[in-house]
């Protein structure tokens, strides 16, 4: 369950719905998006099936999946996604973001990640984590803008970033 729409200066983070798959397949179609995360672009039906699983929620009752599409209000276009996997009774969230190549370089990922982290902290999350490929300087800048800092921990070749809220 993703909850309500989250509004930032230019963006609406809209709770993920299977109906977003068609537009998002185009947003995420550039193979270059997968340079750091692996895999390949999904077709609209494949993305729809994935979104169906995400919307249904985690099969583990101790894990909550929260997913949003990122809508750029001025253009009325979807531009990417943000997500959080919330664990430890709502105290820990692992976050991720992706913005389609046509919208990169405009601060959309930064604004969306800041909005997401602000929402999570407001809902009681005390630790926010993200995993960033060491060569992905743009994603590292997004993590830093959302208040996360790199740690010495690595997982699957990615650096763990962390923000602890007192």
């Amino acid at each position: 369950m993703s909850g309500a729409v989250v509004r930032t200066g230019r963006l609406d983070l809209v709770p993920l719905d299977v109906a977003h798959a068609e537009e998002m397949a185009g947003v995420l179609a550039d193979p270059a998006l997968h340079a750091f995360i692996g895999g390949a672009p999904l077709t609209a039906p494949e993305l729809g099936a994935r979104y169906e699983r995400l919307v249904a929620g985690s099969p583990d009752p101790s894990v909550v999946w929260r997913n949003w599409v990122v809508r750029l209000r001025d253009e009325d276009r979807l531009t990417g996604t943000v997500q959080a996997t919330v664990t430890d009774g709502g105290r820990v969230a692992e976050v991720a973001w992706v913005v389609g190549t046509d919208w990169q370089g405009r601060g959309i990922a930064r604004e969306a990640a800041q909005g997401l982290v602000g929402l999570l902290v407001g809902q009681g999350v005390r630790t926010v984590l993200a995993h960033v490929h060491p060569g992905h300087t743009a994603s590292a800048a997004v993590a830093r803008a959302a208040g996360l800092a790199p740690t010495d921990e690595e997982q699957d070749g990615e650096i763990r970033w962390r923000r602890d809220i007192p």
Side-chain angles (χ1 to χ4, degrees):
M1 159 187 302
S2 293
V5 172
V6 178
R7 289 180 61 89
T8 67
R10 301 175 296 154
L11 308 173
D12 290 332
L13 308 183
V14 179
L16 182 70
D17 188 275
V18 176
H20 293 128
E22 188 71 36
E23 185 175 354
M24 286 304 300
V27 171
L28 303 174
D30 186 350
L33 280 177
H34 299 270
F36 292 106
I37 61 173
L42 299 177
T43 65
E46 290 168 333
L47 202 54
R50 183 174 197 282
Y51 287 178
E52 194 171 303
R53 289 188 302 277
L54 291 173
V55 169
S58 170
D60 180 344
S62 69
V63 176
V64 177
W65 294 340
R66 301 188 65 198
N67 298 274
W68 295 262
V69 290
V70 178
R71 180 175 297 283
L72 182 59
R73 276 194 304 275
D74 286 353
E75 296 181 19
D76 194 27
R77 293 283 317 258
L78 298 182
T79 60
T81 63
V82 291
Q83 61 188 37
T85 300
V86 183
T87 59
D88 196 22
R91 291 182 298 272
V92 176
E94 187 164 328
V95 298
W97 49 84
V98 63
V99 170
T101 52
D102 289 348
W103 295 275
Q104 290 179 3
R106 296 168 58 179
I108 292 170
R110 174 190 44 77
E111 186 174 331
Q114 288 171 328
L116 172 61
V117 169
L119 171 74
L120 294 168
V121 169
Q123 293 178 341
V125 168
R126 305 305 343 123
T127 301
V128 180
L129 304 169
H131 291 89
V132 178
H133 188 281
H136 200 321
T137 56
S139 198
V142 169
R144 189 168 279 109
L148 283 77
T151 69
D152 293 333
E153 299 172 55
E154 265 191 51
Q155 183 178 345
D156 298 326
E158 295 183 321
I159 304 296
R160 175 176 275 182
W161 287 65
R162 182 180 185 116
R163 175 177 173 184
D164 290 306
I165 294 86

